Amino acid sequence: MDVSKMPRYVGPVNPSMYPSLTIGLCGLGALFMAWFFVYEVTSNKYTRSLAKEVVVATLAAAFLGLGSVFLLLWVGIYV
Amino acid sequence: MSSKSGLLRGNSLGLTSLLTFVILALAWFVGFASRLFAIVRFESIIHEFDPWFNYRATAHMVEHGFYNFLNWFDERAWYPLGRIVGGTVYPGLMVTSGLIHHVLDVLNFPVHIRDICVFLAPTFSGLTAIATYFLTKELWSAGAGLFATAFIAISPGYTSRSVAGSYDNEGIAIFALQATYFLWVKSVKTGSVMWAALCGLMYFYMVSAWGGYVFIINLIPLHVLVLICIGRFSSRVYTAYSSFYVLGTILSMQIPFVGFQPVRTSEHMPALGVFGLVQIVAAMQYTRTRVTRAQFLTLFIGGLSVALGVGLVGYLSLVWGGYVAPFSGRFYSLWDTGYAKIHIPIIASVSEHQPTTWVSFFFDLHITAAVFPAGLWYCVKNVNDERVFIILYAVSAVYFAGVMVRLMLTLTPVVCVLAGIAFSLTFEKFLKNDDHFRSNSSGSDNKQYDKLKKQKGYEGSEEPGTSTDGASPSEDPIGPNVRSIVSFVMSILLLMFVVHATYVTSNAYSHPSVVLQSSTSNGGRVMMDDFREAYHWLRENTADDARIMSWWDYGYQIAGMANRTTLVDNNTWNNSHIALVGKAMSSNESAAYEIMRELDVDYVLVIFGGVIGYSGDDINKFLWMVRIAEGEHPKEIREANYFTESGEYSVGAQASQTMLNCLMYKMSYYRFGETRVGYNQAAGFDRTRNYVIGKKDITLEHVEEAYTTENWLVRIYRVKKPANRNGVKYTERKIRPAGGHKTSSVVGRNGRKGSLKNKAVVVKGKRPVTA
Amino acid sequence: MCKNIPRYRMKVLIFTLGLLAALALSQDVKITDAERTVDISSQLAKVNVALTVQNNGKSALSDVLFYITTDEAAHLAHIAATIKKKDVKVQPQSAVQGFAVYKVVLPKKIEAGASETINVEYVLVQSLVPFPEQITQEETQHVVYTGNAHISSAYPVEKEKTTVIFGSGKLQSFATVAPSKQLGEKVVYGPYSNTAAKAISEIRVHYENVSPFIVATTVERLIEISHWGNIAVEEKIQIVHKGAKLTGSFSRLDYQIDRRGKKQPCVKEFKTILPAAARDIYYRDVIGNISSSSLKVRAESVEVDVKPRFPLFGGWKTNYIMGYNLPSYEYLFADGDKFVLKMRLLDHIYDGMVVEKLTTKIVLPEKASNVKLSTPYTVNRRPDEKLATYLDTEGRKVIVIEKNSLVDAHIQPFTLEYQWSRLYIWREPLMATGFFLCLFLAVIVYVRFDFEITKDSASEALLGVQAKVEEVEKIVNERIAIHKRLIEAVSTFKGDKEEETLKNTRAKIETERAELKKKMSGIVGQMKTLLPAASEKLNEMEQLESGIVNSESAYIEKTSKSTTKNSSEDRQWTVRVNGDTNKMKDIINSI
């Protein structure tokens, strides 16, 4: 095995993208989260629909999850 | 939100709760962010003095576990006495941050305990804001609550104790205070045992966090007492207070430091008395419906007087018998501001125990100080059970804040609540933009929504023009011009508050005081890191068990940063030990050496600001050392000896000999006479006091300079081991037969007769000369 | 048989045999010329020996033995040999009396009768002893070098010379082993001729040495790989000034007015060279940042002027932590799932550094497997550790390497190979997502809990009504949409006069209406039990609706004949529909 012949490893995301990715993803996530919570507050047990709740929650979680990973990377916690 | 008014208005309900949530979150964020000035300017570091102890204790707890922390005997403090830390701290703060650390650790999210400590206070200030929202909402309306939230989030009076790095009990205690009050108000309103029990639990948290819980345990009984007196007693109050008192007292006794105090000290007796009174009143109410009026009156007067008499006699006899401690000095000093200076100089010597000046009311509260009386007035006008509480809270807090600067902290929340009410009412009056909603009985949501909009404007993008559009002047006696002017002025006031709060937070309250900052002539920043330089030197280059003597102010820092044994520290529990250190500092070198030898002192640390003009140094604190020493050793130390002939305190040429020869003076100015701070200054010019020092050729006999920091701010001296006895020449060692038979009396060199040591010597009486 | 021979005889025998063997060896090989320089101007003793080895034996010589006295061997940190500027292997052998033995393996054998020049370099640490041991702040530091006037050699030496370079300081004294003399900044011993093997005659040089005598007692180097493209390095360093100890007091004033500059017996600062790509550099200790340091970014490196919190006098110690981030492409290579890290085992701390104990820890990403480590020199590999940090589940594998006594020459790269699937990069985002999802699911479950001890039938009914009303609202909205569609259909009919489409539309609308009506009547029926007042209002609404529907056909009849768009009838009709729908909305709101 010759190290010098191997390609160099570059991270999957350019570090200069971290801030915009964080803000974008977390913002979207917060939007979905707000939707989710407003729905939870306004609906009652007769009007609530589980499918809608789960879908919105999943979307919010996905965006927030990715966003928070990039937030960690942005502040210098390389996970 | 009541579901009735929310019916068929799902969207408006959703919007309202979303807006409320967003505003609370923003308030939290703003409160958090505005407390980070110190981090941005300096670094993530624990500030000042007490936080260093809290940090050290927390680190100890995290390392050794909770039970070991409770049993911790700290042999590194108060040498040679030591300190039982577990039993003499309020563990709430340490447990809170330890718990957060533990949870994060379990989630595999390692954060250094120092960072948790640093960021704890800003985080909790957000919680305080939310607790304030709920309290105000219970007292008045949700709109007022949002105003109060915004105020408390940035109010300088609270920020001063909760900036990042200020890791102190107050940081979490104000949250506990507000939450306890909220739960109390809630339980009085509902009369439900659940809320009262929650109140008791929150009170327990408060007790675990701060000694200021005594304020709660006196204010709540006072509230109950006043409710009884003005005829507002009800079964709700009875349920609330009985549950709260019993649960709260029992829980509070679980804190080792509090222990049996709730039943054994006078500070807690009013609560017990009111508890008894509540039972009697409840019994009276019960009997009133069942007996005739005449019987009732007899029962009432007889019963009440007997109960009061028995209670008072019982209390006095318990105090006399020593079962219940009388009121402490700290308590008296709250009523008589001159008390502490005479009787407990150590309390008076702390700057934050001084009476508050008018300026600091404005400085810490700004417009809220001017507006909150209006809120108080509205509360008095529309009084109900819970508003009685806020009135009492406001009145007592104002008084205490006037007595002690430190208690400004307890005033700030109530001021924010009342200012929130005042602003909310004013805006409600001048900003209502649609009469249609007012005629509607379910208008509270709309009103609230209205206020939310304003609130948001206040947070940042204020547009006064939009606030009045759509106002219909049809029925309203207030014209649109008046409306716009009033709301404009109010918005300007709010903006000014924001500007002031930011300014004060960034300039006055965000200094770690461990690192000093000064600016050069061309605007650059110079960090003076002398404290840490010295502490790190001590940590690395002295023996692990070295004992360091310093004035008590620096005890916690030495323990925390240098990890060395100290003689006295900021936990000023032993006055005589502090007085002994004060005596050593104010005695001459050889007398001080005796004391230091007795106390096994290895190093002495003094803070000296003469080179850079730092005013908080030991020479400026020196008079307090003298005073405290005089309190315990009035024969050796007298304050008057340290003044010049004209009665001034000076380090210059006029200073008295006692001053010039005391250890503190010598250690501060050792070799300072050879320095020159500027070209046009004389050698040995003290920049802090603007004097040329009185004695320039200081020689030290029993101590030697061990380390002095870059700017001379911290000077550390090594206490020398006792020197060998002076050698005796061989010729003198021989015993000379002194010329035959003259053995009975040996005449010394100065021609006096020798005498036996410790032999009673008769001194001829002499009339004492009184000055 | 051995029993017959007394023990001392046995010893004599072995000794004689050994001696014979040595003689045989030394007779074969001879060193014709040896030149040694000992550089003791810093805190190290750097020894360079040039040997010309001659093979007088009959067979070719494959390796040459090199001796170092045991005194020196105790301080030996690094040894290397070159032949014609090319590195050759040096292997430690078992020691003989008074000497440590190293074997220089020759790449090309020395044939019988031929000769070869070998350069051996070795570095001794902490071999210079301060004398006097303690000095005051005003004094300068003097040290004593103790060594051997002769080259410690396994073979007889024909001609040798030793030069001791002691630097710019003042020479106090030196032991003479004639011929020896001082030449400027050097002391020269020799040339000596025909020295026997293993000759020892001790020399001492006592001289002024003001170079910093700082020793890094422990260095803990932590390398953490993140596959997000970062390598984080953190070094915890303990430093002691091991020169002459400071005695008496330290006076800041004397220190400030001292004009000796670098000759002061203390270390104010030193320079650390970091890799050029280093970012986010921090320099701190247990109690926080050390603000007194400066950074210079150069093309090849980043230079940090490390200034401890206090000047280091003899015997004083300090510690600090320095850390930085590096982009992964500098040191991490990848081929599919195979990754190779090539990094320095130890990095520069200061020039002429001495490290007593190095611990290098390499934190691999989670799930890394098949780890293979190869190091440039022998090290002590400790058992692997586990470290659980941010967003980890099972912890990351930590490779732990230890080595004692290191110098500049040990700054060499290691390679670490491991397997890691690139899909694992999704673990962390998924975990964060999962965390949030759990949170939301908890909310979803929470709102379905019922904490009421007693059922409040009124509020229960209210909720039911609310749900129904929402359905009604939906129906009404649909009806309004249908009305609008109808009006549109009519207006298009006016344009194209296509009966078929209008009929189709109407038929479609009819079926939709019937469905809605069915739904509505169901709701009205349920409403009767829930809230009779509301059901009446709904009935009222139904009447309104049917009113519209009934008069609708008449309207269509009327308007379909005319061709003008937006006729007055049209407008009237729209107004009527709008009015009625508004009434319906009002009814809903009133409930």
Side-chain angles (χ1 to χ4, degrees), chain B residues 95-118:
Chain B
V95 171
T96 307
S97 35
L99 203 67
I100 295 173
H101 184 259
H102 183 73
V103 167
L104 288 177
D105 234 28
V106 167
L107 292 176
N108 274 341
F109 206 84
V111 178
H112 196 282
I113 184 71
R114 181 190 58 234
D115 292 322
I116 290 172
C117 295
V118 165

PDB file of all heavy atoms in Angstrom, chain B residues 95-118:
ATOM      1  N   VAL B  95     -25.996  21.185  42.396  1.00  0.00           N
ATOM      2  CA  VAL B  95     -26.774  20.027  41.953  1.00  0.00           C
ATOM      3  C   VAL B  95     -27.369  20.302  40.579  1.00  0.00           C
ATOM      4  O   VAL B  95     -27.359  19.425  39.710  1.00  0.00           O
ATOM      5  CB  VAL B  95     -27.870  19.700  42.986  1.00  0.00           C
ATOM      6  CG1 VAL B  95     -28.821  18.661  42.450  1.00  0.00           C
ATOM      7  CG2 VAL B  95     -27.240  19.204  44.264  1.00  0.00           C
ATOM      8  N   THR B  96     -27.833  21.535  40.377  1.00  0.00           N
ATOM      9  CA  THR B  96     -28.419  21.859  39.075  1.00  0.00           C
ATOM     10  C   THR B  96     -27.405  21.671  37.961  1.00  0.00           C
ATOM     11  O   THR B  96     -27.669  20.963  36.982  1.00  0.00           O
ATOM     12  CB  THR B  96     -28.914  23.313  39.069  1.00  0.00           C
ATOM     13  OG1 THR B  96     -29.769  23.493  40.182  1.00  0.00           O
ATOM     14  CG2 THR B  96     -29.661  23.618  37.799  1.00  0.00           C
ATOM     15  N   SER B  97     -26.240  22.285  38.122  1.00  0.00           N
ATOM     16  CA  SER B  97     -25.289  22.168  37.014  1.00  0.00           C
ATOM     17  C   SER B  97     -24.721  20.763  36.942  1.00  0.00           C
ATOM     18  O   SER B  97     -24.430  20.269  35.843  1.00  0.00           O
ATOM     19  CB  SER B  97     -24.174  23.205  37.117  1.00  0.00           C
ATOM     20  OG  SER B  97     -23.843  23.437  38.429  1.00  0.00           O
ATOM     21  N   GLY B  98     -24.577  20.109  38.099  1.00  0.00           N
ATOM     22  CA  GLY B  98     -24.106  18.731  38.078  1.00  0.00           C
ATOM     23  C   GLY B  98     -25.089  17.835  37.335  1.00  0.00           C
ATOM     24  O   GLY B  98     -24.695  16.953  36.571  1.00  0.00           O
ATOM     25  N   LEU B  99     -26.371  18.098  37.542  1.00  0.00           N
ATOM     26  CA  LEU B  99     -27.402  17.307  36.891  1.00  0.00           C
ATOM     27  C   LEU B  99     -27.365  17.520  35.380  1.00  0.00           C
ATOM     28  O   LEU B  99     -27.440  16.564  34.601  1.00  0.00           O
ATOM     29  CB  LEU B  99     -28.764  17.707  37.447  1.00  0.00           C
ATOM     30  CG  LEU B  99     -29.868  16.673  37.316  1.00  0.00           C
ATOM     31  CD1 LEU B  99     -29.558  15.478  38.180  1.00  0.00           C
ATOM     32  CD2 LEU B  99     -31.194  17.280  37.716  1.00  0.00           C
ATOM     33  N   ILE B 100     -27.235  18.786  34.989  1.00  0.00           N
ATOM     34  CA  ILE B 100     -27.157  19.074  33.552  1.00  0.00           C
ATOM     35  C   ILE B 100     -25.954  18.351  32.960  1.00  0.00           C
ATOM     36  O   ILE B 100     -26.043  17.706  31.907  1.00  0.00           O
ATOM     37  CB  ILE B 100     -27.052  20.595  33.325  1.00  0.00           C
ATOM     38  CG1 ILE B 100     -28.325  21.274  33.790  1.00  0.00           C
ATOM     39  CG2 ILE B 100     -26.809  20.895  31.853  1.00  0.00           C
ATOM     40  CD1 ILE B 100     -28.255  22.768  33.771  1.00  0.00           C
ATOM     41  N   HIS B 101     -24.846  18.442  33.661  1.00  0.00           N
ATOM     42  CA  HIS B 101     -23.624  17.784  33.189  1.00  0.00           C
ATOM     43  C   HIS B 101     -23.844  16.284  33.061  1.00  0.00           C
ATOM     44  O   HIS B 101     -23.457  15.658  32.076  1.00  0.00           O
ATOM     45  CB  HIS B 101     -22.503  18.078  34.176  1.00  0.00           C
ATOM     46  CG  HIS B 101     -21.177  17.530  33.754  1.00  0.00           C
ATOM     47  ND1 HIS B 101     -20.650  16.370  34.279  1.00  0.00           N
ATOM     48  CD2 HIS B 101     -20.287  17.965  32.849  1.00  0.00           C
ATOM     49  CE1 HIS B 101     -19.492  16.122  33.704  1.00  0.00           C
ATOM     50  NE2 HIS B 101     -19.248  17.076  32.836  1.00  0.00           N
ATOM     51  N   HIS B 102     -24.503  15.740  34.051  1.00  0.00           N
ATOM     52  CA  HIS B 102     -24.728  14.297  34.048  1.00  0.00           C
ATOM     53  C   HIS B 102     -25.613  13.888  32.882  1.00  0.00           C
ATOM     54  O   HIS B 102     -25.323  12.908  32.179  1.00  0.00           O
ATOM     55  CB  HIS B 102     -25.368  13.897  35.372  1.00  0.00           C
ATOM     56  CG  HIS B 102     -25.581  12.421  35.505  1.00  0.00           C
ATOM     57  ND1 HIS B 102     -24.538  11.552  35.716  1.00  0.00           N
ATOM     58  CD2 HIS B 102     -26.691  11.671  35.415  1.00  0.00           C
ATOM     59  CE1 HIS B 102     -25.013  10.324  35.760  1.00  0.00           C
ATOM     60  NE2 HIS B 102     -26.317  10.363  35.583  1.00  0.00           N
ATOM     61  N   VAL B 103     -26.664  14.647  32.682  1.00  0.00           N
ATOM     62  CA  VAL B 103     -27.591  14.305  31.594  1.00  0.00           C
ATOM     63  C   VAL B 103     -26.863  14.379  30.252  1.00  0.00           C
ATOM     64  O   VAL B 103     -26.962  13.471  29.421  1.00  0.00           O
ATOM     65  CB  VAL B 103     -28.803  15.258  31.609  1.00  0.00           C
ATOM     66  CG1 VAL B 103     -29.595  15.124  30.322  1.00  0.00           C
ATOM     67  CG2 VAL B 103     -29.691  14.943  32.795  1.00  0.00           C
ATOM     68  N   LEU B 104     -26.097  15.445  30.071  1.00  0.00           N
ATOM     69  CA  LEU B 104     -25.358  15.582  28.814  1.00  0.00           C
ATOM     70  C   LEU B 104     -24.354  14.454  28.652  1.00  0.00           C
ATOM     71  O   LEU B 104     -24.132  13.955  27.552  1.00  0.00           O
ATOM     72  CB  LEU B 104     -24.645  16.931  28.769  1.00  0.00           C
ATOM     73  CG  LEU B 104     -25.551  18.135  28.572  1.00  0.00           C
ATOM     74  CD1 LEU B 104     -24.741  19.412  28.611  1.00  0.00           C
ATOM     75  CD2 LEU B 104     -26.281  18.044  27.253  1.00  0.00           C
ATOM     76  N   ASP B 105     -23.766  14.054  29.754  1.00  0.00           N
ATOM     77  CA  ASP B 105     -22.780  12.986  29.712  1.00  0.00           C
ATOM     78  C   ASP B 105     -23.431  11.673  29.310  1.00  0.00           C
ATOM     79  O   ASP B 105     -22.880  10.902  28.524  1.00  0.00           O
ATOM     80  CB  ASP B 105     -22.135  12.845  31.086  1.00  0.00           C
ATOM     81  CG  ASP B 105     -20.634  12.926  30.991  1.00  0.00           C
ATOM     82  OD1 ASP B 105     -20.149  13.580  30.058  1.00  0.00           O
ATOM     83  OD2 ASP B 105     -19.957  12.334  31.851  1.00  0.00           O
ATOM     84  N   VAL B 106     -24.604  11.439  29.875  1.00  0.00           N
ATOM     85  CA  VAL B 106     -25.322  10.213  29.539  1.00  0.00           C
ATOM     86  C   VAL B 106     -25.688  10.215  28.060  1.00  0.00           C
ATOM     87  O   VAL B 106     -25.632   9.192  27.389  1.00  0.00           O
ATOM     88  CB  VAL B 106     -26.579  10.088  30.424  1.00  0.00           C
ATOM     89  CG1 VAL B 106     -27.505   9.023  29.889  1.00  0.00           C
ATOM     90  CG2 VAL B 106     -26.173   9.749  31.844  1.00  0.00           C
ATOM     91  N   LEU B 107     -26.009  11.383  27.533  1.00  0.00           N
ATOM     92  CA  LEU B 107     -26.327  11.492  26.114  1.00  0.00           C
ATOM     93  C   LEU B 107     -25.075  11.546  25.263  1.00  0.00           C
ATOM     94  O   LEU B 107     -25.140  11.883  24.082  1.00  0.00           O
ATOM     95  CB  LEU B 107     -27.150  12.755  25.863  1.00  0.00           C
ATOM     96  CG  LEU B 107     -28.564  12.758  26.433  1.00  0.00           C
ATOM     97  CD1 LEU B 107     -29.214  14.104  26.198  1.00  0.00           C
ATOM     98  CD2 LEU B 107     -29.397  11.669  25.794  1.00  0.00           C
ATOM     99  N   ASN B 108     -23.928  11.248  25.856  1.00  0.00           N
ATOM    100  CA  ASN B 108     -22.657  11.306  25.126  1.00  0.00           C
ATOM    101  C   ASN B 108     -22.412  12.671  24.521  1.00  0.00           C
ATOM    102  O   ASN B 108     -22.064  12.803  23.355  1.00  0.00           O
ATOM    103  CB  ASN B 108     -22.614  10.255  24.026  1.00  0.00           C
ATOM    104  CG  ASN B 108     -22.130   8.943  24.562  1.00  0.00           C
ATOM    105  OD1 ASN B 108     -21.513   8.916  25.629  1.00  0.00           O
ATOM    106  ND2 ASN B 108     -22.390   7.875  23.860  1.00  0.00           N
ATOM    107  N   PHE B 109     -22.660  13.687  25.292  1.00  0.00           N
ATOM    108  CA  PHE B 109     -22.426  15.031  24.804  1.00  0.00           C
ATOM    109  C   PHE B 109     -21.513  15.721  25.814  1.00  0.00           C
ATOM    110  O   PHE B 109     -21.962  16.478  26.673  1.00  0.00           O
ATOM    111  CB  PHE B 109     -23.753  15.783  24.669  1.00  0.00           C
ATOM    112  CG  PHE B 109     -23.696  16.871  23.644  1.00  0.00           C
ATOM    113  CD1 PHE B 109     -23.910  16.596  22.307  1.00  0.00           C
ATOM    114  CD2 PHE B 109     -23.417  18.172  24.016  1.00  0.00           C
ATOM    115  CE1 PHE B 109     -23.853  17.592  21.364  1.00  0.00           C
ATOM    116  CE2 PHE B 109     -23.357  19.174  23.073  1.00  0.00           C
ATOM    117  CZ  PHE B 109     -23.579  18.897  21.749  1.00  0.00           C
ATOM    118  N   PRO B 110     -20.216  15.392  25.766  1.00  0.00           N
ATOM    119  CA  PRO B 110     -19.345  15.876  26.834  1.00  0.00           C
ATOM    120  C   PRO B 110     -19.133  17.386  26.763  1.00  0.00           C
ATOM    121  O   PRO B 110     -18.629  17.911  25.779  1.00  0.00           O
ATOM    122  CB  PRO B 110     -18.034  15.130  26.580  1.00  0.00           C
ATOM    123  CG  PRO B 110     -18.070  14.756  25.151  1.00  0.00           C
ATOM    124  CD  PRO B 110     -19.493  14.620  24.753  1.00  0.00           C
ATOM    125  N   VAL B 111     -19.555  18.067  27.785  1.00  0.00           N
ATOM    126  CA  VAL B 111     -19.305  19.500  27.898  1.00  0.00           C
ATOM    127  C   VAL B 111     -18.551  19.688  29.210  1.00  0.00           C
ATOM    128  O   VAL B 111     -18.915  19.084  30.216  1.00  0.00           O
ATOM    129  CB  VAL B 111     -20.623  20.297  27.931  1.00  0.00           C
ATOM    130  CG1 VAL B 111     -20.354  21.771  28.087  1.00  0.00           C
ATOM    131  CG2 VAL B 111     -21.422  20.043  26.674  1.00  0.00           C
ATOM    132  N   HIS B 112     -17.509  20.477  29.170  1.00  0.00           N
ATOM    133  CA  HIS B 112     -16.740  20.688  30.391  1.00  0.00           C
ATOM    134  C   HIS B 112     -17.620  21.353  31.438  1.00  0.00           C
ATOM    135  O   HIS B 112     -18.405  22.238  31.123  1.00  0.00           O
ATOM    136  CB  HIS B 112     -15.528  21.566  30.090  1.00  0.00           C
ATOM    137  CG  HIS B 112     -14.502  21.525  31.174  1.00  0.00           C
ATOM    138  ND1 HIS B 112     -14.637  22.232  32.347  1.00  0.00           N
ATOM    139  CD2 HIS B 112     -13.344  20.852  31.297  1.00  0.00           C
ATOM    140  CE1 HIS B 112     -13.592  21.991  33.113  1.00  0.00           C
ATOM    141  NE2 HIS B 112     -12.795  21.150  32.496  1.00  0.00           N
ATOM    142  N   ILE B 113     -17.468  20.908  32.668  1.00  0.00           N
ATOM    143  CA  ILE B 113     -18.333  21.417  33.737  1.00  0.00           C
ATOM    144  C   ILE B 113     -18.180  22.931  33.883  1.00  0.00           C
ATOM    145  O   ILE B 113     -19.122  23.640  34.235  1.00  0.00           O
ATOM    146  CB  ILE B 113     -18.041  20.667  35.067  1.00  0.00           C
ATOM    147  CG1 ILE B 113     -19.001  21.104  36.172  1.00  0.00           C
ATOM    148  CG2 ILE B 113     -16.624  20.857  35.526  1.00  0.00           C
ATOM    149  CD1 ILE B 113     -20.394  20.606  35.970  1.00  0.00           C
ATOM    150  N   ARG B 114     -16.995  23.444  33.530  1.00  0.00           N
ATOM    151  CA  ARG B 114     -16.794  24.891  33.618  1.00  0.00           C
ATOM    152  C   ARG B 114     -17.739  25.631  32.677  1.00  0.00           C
ATOM    153  O   ARG B 114     -18.340  26.641  33.044  1.00  0.00           O
ATOM    154  CB  ARG B 114     -15.349  25.235  33.258  1.00  0.00           C
ATOM    155  CG  ARG B 114     -15.054  26.728  33.346  1.00  0.00           C
ATOM    156  CD  ARG B 114     -13.712  27.070  32.759  1.00  0.00           C
ATOM    157  NE  ARG B 114     -13.627  26.659  31.364  1.00  0.00           N
ATOM    158  CZ  ARG B 114     -12.668  25.880  30.875  1.00  0.00           C
ATOM    159  NH1 ARG B 114     -11.711  25.447  31.647  1.00  0.00           N
ATOM    160  NH2 ARG B 114     -12.664  25.536  29.618  1.00  0.00           N
ATOM    161  N   ASP B 115     -17.901  25.085  31.483  1.00  0.00           N
ATOM    162  CA  ASP B 115     -18.773  25.765  30.526  1.00  0.00           C
ATOM    163  C   ASP B 115     -20.228  25.710  30.968  1.00  0.00           C
ATOM    164  O   ASP B 115     -20.977  26.660  30.774  1.00  0.00           O
ATOM    165  CB  ASP B 115     -18.608  25.145  29.135  1.00  0.00           C
ATOM    166  CG  ASP B 115     -17.226  25.438  28.574  1.00  0.00           C
ATOM    167  OD1 ASP B 115     -16.752  26.557  28.804  1.00  0.00           O
ATOM    168  OD2 ASP B 115     -16.623  24.565  27.957  1.00  0.00           O
ATOM    169  N   ILE B 116     -20.601  24.599  31.583  1.00  0.00           N
ATOM    170  CA  ILE B 116     -21.968  24.531  32.097  1.00  0.00           C
ATOM    171  C   ILE B 116     -22.153  25.591  33.179  1.00  0.00           C
ATOM    172  O   ILE B 116     -23.142  26.316  33.202  1.00  0.00           O
ATOM    173  CB  ILE B 116     -22.251  23.127  32.648  1.00  0.00           C
ATOM    174  CG1 ILE B 116     -22.318  22.155  31.486  1.00  0.00           C
ATOM    175  CG2 ILE B 116     -23.558  23.112  33.415  1.00  0.00           C
ATOM    176  CD1 ILE B 116     -22.411  20.733  31.895  1.00  0.00           C
ATOM    177  N   CYS B 117     -21.164  25.711  34.049  1.00  0.00           N
ATOM    178  CA  CYS B 117     -21.260  26.710  35.117  1.00  0.00           C
ATOM    179  C   CYS B 117     -21.329  28.110  34.537  1.00  0.00           C
ATOM    180  O   CYS B 117     -22.098  28.947  35.002  1.00  0.00           O
ATOM    181  CB  CYS B 117     -20.062  26.593  36.055  1.00  0.00           C
ATOM    182  SG  CYS B 117     -20.022  25.056  36.951  1.00  0.00           S
ATOM    183  N   VAL B 118     -20.524  28.361  33.520  1.00  0.00           N
ATOM    184  CA  VAL B 118     -20.478  29.704  32.941  1.00  0.00           C
ATOM    185  C   VAL B 118     -21.827  30.059  32.329  1.00  0.00           C
ATOM    186  O   VAL B 118     -22.329  31.168  32.501  1.00  0.00           O
ATOM    187  CB  VAL B 118     -19.352  29.783  31.888  1.00  0.00           C
ATOM    188  CG1 VAL B 118     -19.516  31.012  31.012  1.00  0.00           C
ATOM    189  CG2 VAL B 118     -18.000  29.826  32.568  1.00  0.00           C
TER     190      VAL B 118
END
